[in-house]
Amino acid sequence: MSVPQYLRQISLKVGDADAALDLSDMRIRFAVRRGDTRTPNTADIRVYNLSENTVQRIQKEFIRVVLQAGYAGNYGIIFDGTIKQVRRGRESQTDTYIDITAADGDSAYNWSVVSASLAAGSTAEDHTQAALGAMASRGITQGDVAPLSLNRLPRGKVMFGMTRDFLDVTGKTQDVSWSIQDGKLTLIPNTAYLPGEPVVVTSATGMIGLPEQSQNGINVKTLLNPGIRIGRRLKIDNASIQRLRLNPAPLTEANTSLALVQIATNADGMYKVLVANHYGDTRGNEWYTDTICISVDATLTNSGMISGGVGIPGAIAEPGSVRPFG
């Protein structure tokens, strides 16, 4: 997907669909942090010069906030979550503001408890559905979930405890990363990516500066792009990537080889998004997306370190070049 980035657009709504305040016409500054980790995504949103009545309503009545941003032709949700705190302040004698601190799925993450007994023959899919059922009362629905192992347990299974702990177990045994994205439970295999066309990142489509290879992967900055989502692919010209200089002093040969695998560039220029942070100011210069991504085939296979259970019939698939799933 390659869409030129121009003509900014934004929408900020506080409240449910049937009773929401539309603050889109105000000056808005925001910073949204999204990642493929289990820790909830967060947003800090500052809205300027609201009336006293509006501020009171936001502080007392509403819990949901939906932020959409982008450009004409490439516009969508960059955050959908619940308000955790509203703070008032003043920048000058004429400008007041409220700061909205919000999180995505933190109630389910912090407080959801699963209590279920599964008969013998349950699968990883059954365990995931039990966890999802426990989160449903706190507003979490099913998002992108890859096919899981069909292995059946020979005995019954009792699930009682924090839901996030059982999802951690599923993540380790199924080689997937779980997270909550816009109120949806998402499980993406560590050796796969979300289906769909890749987001083409070039100077013509909004790339700022040059991509840089770091210890965490490939860092790339673009004009704000809601199409850059966790688990999706980016297509980057490898010739534009500035390579990292490794410091060999504190690293053994094995550690250096492993680090090179994890931050390797992809032969076809395809990269999987792990972190996508959006920030902007409707009356300022900032309107950017910072992304950290890794090569779609950056698995541990090349270093000879393969997860336990690989090769067992019905177990997780052997790591290799990433394949899409549907």
Side-chain angles (χ1 to χ4, degrees):
M1 182 180 67
S2 177
V3 179
Q5 304 283 80
Y6 61 94
L7 299 179
R8 293 182 182 182
Q9 293 187 354
I10 190 169
S11 170
L12 175 62
K13 294 185 178 181
V14 179
D16 297 326
D18 55 347
L21 286 175
D22 190 344
L23 306 178
S24 307
D25 292 333
M26 310 303 295
R27 180 188 176 187
I28 301 169
R29 292 175 59 188
F30 59 87
V32 176
R33 294 162 290 277
R34 304 176 68 111
D36 75 335
T37 59
R38 69 176 194 166
T39 307
N41 299 328
T42 61
D44 288 307
I45 304 170
R46 174 169 290 189
V47 187
Y48 288 83
N49 298 326
L50 295 177
S51 69
E52 180 66 23
N53 179 60
T54 300
V55 172
Q56 292 291 336
R57 292 185 64 190
I58 294 174
Q59 289 180 319
K60 295 179 180 180
E61 296 182 24
F62 301 113
I63 61 171
R64 186 183 179 193
V65 58
V66 178
L67 177 63
Q68 301 180 75
Y71 292 85
N74 186 20
Y75 171 72
I77 294 176
I78 60 174
F79 183 82
D80 185 349
T82 55
I83 297 174
K84 301 292 103 179
Q85 183 184 25
V86 177
R87 297 179 294 115
R88 305 174 67 174
R90 179 179 292 274
E91 281 194 352
S92 67
Q93 295 299 317
T94 57
D95 292 325
T96 61
Y97 64 81
I98 62 166
D99 278 340
I100 298 173
T101 300
D104 179 8
D106 72 306
S107 176
Y109 175 82
N110 288 318
W111 307 112
S112 175
V113 174
V114 60
S115 179
S117 296
L118 303 180
S122 64
T123 65
E125 176 66 22
D126 298 325
H127 306 158
T128 301
Q129 289 303 316
L132 182 61
M135 288 183 163
S137 63
R138 298 184 180 273
I140 303 302
T141 58
Q142 180 170 315
D144 295 296
V145 178
L148 302 176
S149 167
L150 298 178
N151 279 358
R152 296 184 177 275
L153 295 183
R155 301 180 180 86
K157 182 179 179 66
V158 175
M159 299 176 65
F160 181 75
M162 299 300 294
T163 306
R164 63 176 185 246
D165 294 336
F166 286 97
L167 288 172
D168 284 345
V169 173
T170 299
K172 292 175 182 178
T173 58
Q174 301 299 308
D175 196 25
V176 299
S177 294
W178 74 272
S179 62
I180 299 174
Q181 304 293 333
D182 297 328
K184 296 182 179 180
L185 178 63
T186 303
L187 277 71
I188 303 177
N190 294 324
T191 53
Y193 50 81
L194 294 181
E197 292 296 319
V199 178
V200 179
V201 178
T202 65
S203 58
T205 60
M207 184 172 70
I208 305 296
L210 294 173
E212 295 184 357
Q213 189 181 46
S214 71
Q215 293 181 346
N216 296 320
I218 309 300
N219 296 347
V220 59
K221 181 177 181 180
T222 65
L223 296 177
L224 196 148
N225 191 337
I228 298 178
R229 305 184 68 83
I230 304 303
R232 287 198 65 181
R233 290 178 299 163
L234 300 185
K235 183 171 179 59
I236 304 173
D237 181 5
N238 285 335
S240 66
I241 298 175
Q242 308 302 294
R243 298 301 196 270
L244 170 70
R245 178 192 179 278
L246 292 174
N247 180 4
L251 300 177
T252 64
E253 182 178 353
N255 289 336
T256 302
S257 298
L258 178 59
L260 288 173
V261 169
Q262 295 299 293
I263 64 174
T265 56
N266 179 261
D268 297 324
M270 294 293 185
Y271 298 88
K272 174 183 174 181
V273 176
L274 300 184
V275 175
N277 296 330
H278 309 283
Y279 56 98
D281 183 346
T282 56
R283 299 184 187 177
N285 292 326
E286 292 185 344
W287 203 258
Y288 303 121
T289 297
D290 282 337
T291 305
I292 300 177
C293 52
I294 60 171
S295 170
V296 294
D297 56 5
T299 70
L300 298 182
T301 307
N302 295 334
S303 64
M305 300 172 63
I306 299 179
S307 302
V310 171
I312 301 175
I316 57 178
E318 180 176 351
S321 298
V322 178
R323 296 178 294 277
F325 61 88

